[in-house]
Amino acid sequence: MRSLLALLSSAFIVGATAASAETRVFIINNQADGYGIDQCLAKGEKCGAQVARTYCQSRDFAQASAYRRVDPDEITGSVPKSGANCPHGHCDEYVAITCQR
């Protein structure tokens, strides 16, 4: 009985370890290119799903689980904010794409 319980516990641990996926968040510059893709990513709309998935696949990840606009305050480090520190009063926007293996 104990050996059966130990075997089931071991199988559960191995299965749980294999099921956990590696996740990584990429912060990229949201450049307005005139195609509208930047707005799809920044607003989290469905039209950005393929772009996010392609971005993840280009970095050897299987899928994109999320994508959204990121405020400069959320990013660790020095990122210019809109206002006096930005050229012409406009700073770049950033998008976070969450990729999974």
Side-chain angles (χ1 to χ4, degrees), residues 6-7 11 35 44 73-74:
L7 179 64
Y35 291 103
D73 293 337
E74 294 181 65

Side-chain angles (χ1 to χ4, degrees), residues 40-58:
C40 291
L41 287 169
K43 293 181 180 178
E45 295 176 3
K46 284 186 177 183
C47 55
Q50 179 62 39
V51 175
R53 182 173 43 251
T54 302
Y55 185 87
C56 291
Q57 289 174 347
S58 72

Side-chain angles (χ1 to χ4, degrees), residues 18-26 41 48-67 96-101:
S20 66
E22 180 184 352
T23 301
R24 184 168 175 192
V25 178
F26 293 93
L41 287 169
Q50 179 62 39
V51 175
R53 182 173 43 251
T54 302
Y55 185 87
C56 291
Q57 289 174 347
S58 72
R59 280 144 183 84
D60 296 327
F61 285 84
Q63 65 182 1
S65 59
Y67 51 95
I97 299 176
T98 304
C99 301
Q100 291 183 333
R101 290 208 194 272

